[in-house]
Amino acid sequence: PQVAIPPKFKMNSNAGIQELMAAEQKASQIVAEARLGRGDRLKQAKSDASSVISTYRTQMEMEFQSSALNLGSSNTTTSAALQDQTKKDMEAMKGSYEVNGGKALQVLLSKCCEVDLTVSKARIRSAQKAQM
């Protein structure tokens, strides 16, 4: 039982295939354009983010410089105390170096000059296996 296909559908079958192919081509063009657009949007987003970051960085640096200037001018006694403490700490470190520097040097030299010439058994077996 074959069904008879009316002649008007037979003539349009080629046109239908061509329409499908054209639609497929159009769809692939739309996809390609969307991919290009996506890349452009990513580049634009990256550029925008970079701009926002640099603006924020500049703002934070200005705030830091402003607060540093305010602290420096209003707290001269604190700054002087900090410098005195730093000088004391540096003098203590220099004294410690002078006292212990020679000992530290001797320890380093003794460790550098100690060389163990024994070969472990595992290393000997490994070398023997490699020769076989």
Side-chain angles (χ1 to χ4, degrees):
Q2 289 184 344
V3 177
I5 299 175
K8 67 178 184 175
F9 290 122
K10 286 184 181 179
M11 284 191 268
N12 289 335
S13 67
N14 284 339
I17 290 173
Q18 288 177 351
E19 281 182 47
L20 284 174
M21 291 179 74
E24 185 178 340
Q25 258 186 338
K26 187 175 179 181
S28 67
Q29 286 176 347
I30 291 171
V31 168
E33 289 173 3
R35 285 184 180 152
L36 288 175
R38 181 176 145 217
D40 292 342
R41 285 192 308 272
L42 282 173
K43 288 177 185 175
Q44 183 63 38
K46 206 179 234 185
S47 172
D48 292 347
S50 165
S51 163
V52 169
I53 288 169
S54 68
T55 303
Y56 180 74
R57 178 177 286 138
T58 303
Q59 179 185 1
M60 289 294 114
E61 285 179 5
M62 287 174 49
E63 286 180 20
F64 174 75
Q65 294 298 331
S66 173
S67 64
L69 287 175
N70 289 339
L71 286 175
S73 63
S74 65
N75 294 331
T76 55
T77 57
T78 306
S79 176
L82 181 59
Q83 286 180 355
D84 288 342
Q85 184 63 40
T86 303
K87 285 180 184 177
K88 288 178 185 176
D89 289 346
M90 287 178 62
E91 288 172 6
M93 281 188 239
K94 285 179 183 177
S96 177
Y97 172 76
E98 289 173 4
V99 170
N100 298 317
K103 294 176 189 174
L105 184 61
Q106 290 302 320
V107 169
L108 288 173
L109 287 175
S110 71
K111 295 299 176 186
C112 289
C113 295
E114 290 179 10
V115 178
D116 185 18
L117 298 176
T118 60
V119 179
S120 69
K121 293 179 182 180
R123 176 73 69 175
I124 293 170
R125 283 190 297 245
S126 173
Q128 289 172 346
K129 286 182 181 178
Q131 290 178 352
M132 290 183 180

